[in-house]
Amino acid sequence: MLFDDMLIHKAAILELDMVDDGEGGQIEKWVDSGNRLSCLFDTPSSAEQYRYAKLNKQISRNMFYYPTDLVTPKSRIRDENTKVVYEQVSKPDDQGGQGEMYQLALLEVENGA
């Protein structure tokens, strides 16, 4: 496809799940779903950052990827190279064209998952 050379990063999909807390109970925790996708993490332009600031939102990265059902509105994304975890700030934005590519605005999550 047209953008295959551009998708140089791997992203892991994290889902919120109930896990054993070690004391007989359970707690909610972000866990690796085992799903991976090829993508490109890119720094947003100052114009994009300003646009989100006007909406009282912050943005750390843009992620470009092919449409997939792996990325759900409730999932978090982990960059497999840097291990930085991001939450979604926007809905996926279709970039148009025949090699449809989605753009997703992300915000870095403090303290990982």
Side-chain angles (χ1 to χ4, degrees):
M1 297 202 114
L2 181 62
F3 296 106
D4 285 345
D5 292 341
M6 188 174 89
L7 303 179
I8 58 173
H9 299 113
K10 290 287 183 198
I13 308 299
L14 306 179
E15 300 288 344
L16 194 57
D17 199 7
M18 298 298 288
V19 296
D20 185 17
D21 68 359
E23 298 177 3
Q26 291 190 328
I27 57 172
E28 281 189 329
K29 186 175 180 182
W30 290 98
V31 296
D32 191 332
S33 67
N35 294 321
R36 302 287 184 274
L37 63 117
S38 295
C39 65
L40 173 71
F41 289 105
D42 192 24
T43 304
S45 68
S46 57
E48 285 177 293
Q49 291 175 344
Y50 178 70
R51 189 175 73 235
Y52 278 95
K54 287 178 24 179
L55 299 171
N56 291 324
K57 294 183 178 183
Q58 292 182 336
I59 179 174
S60 302
R61 291 274 182 267
N62 282 319
M63 182 176 83
F64 296 90
Y65 64 100
Y66 288 118
T68 175
D69 58 356
L70 297 178
V71 180
T72 64
K74 296 180 181 180
S75 61
R76 287 189 174 177
I77 311 295
R78 182 179 65 222
D79 182 340
E80 287 293 270
N81 296 336
T82 63
K83 303 301 182 198
V84 174
V85 176
Y86 300 98
E87 64 184 8
Q88 300 176 43
V89 177
S90 69
K91 293 180 181 177
D93 184 22
D94 185 354
Q95 297 300 292
Q98 276 197 304
E100 279 128 20
M101 176 80 57
Y102 280 0
Q103 176 183 355
L104 183 62
L106 304 171
L107 177 65
E108 184 175 341
V109 177
E110 299 295 322
N111 303 326

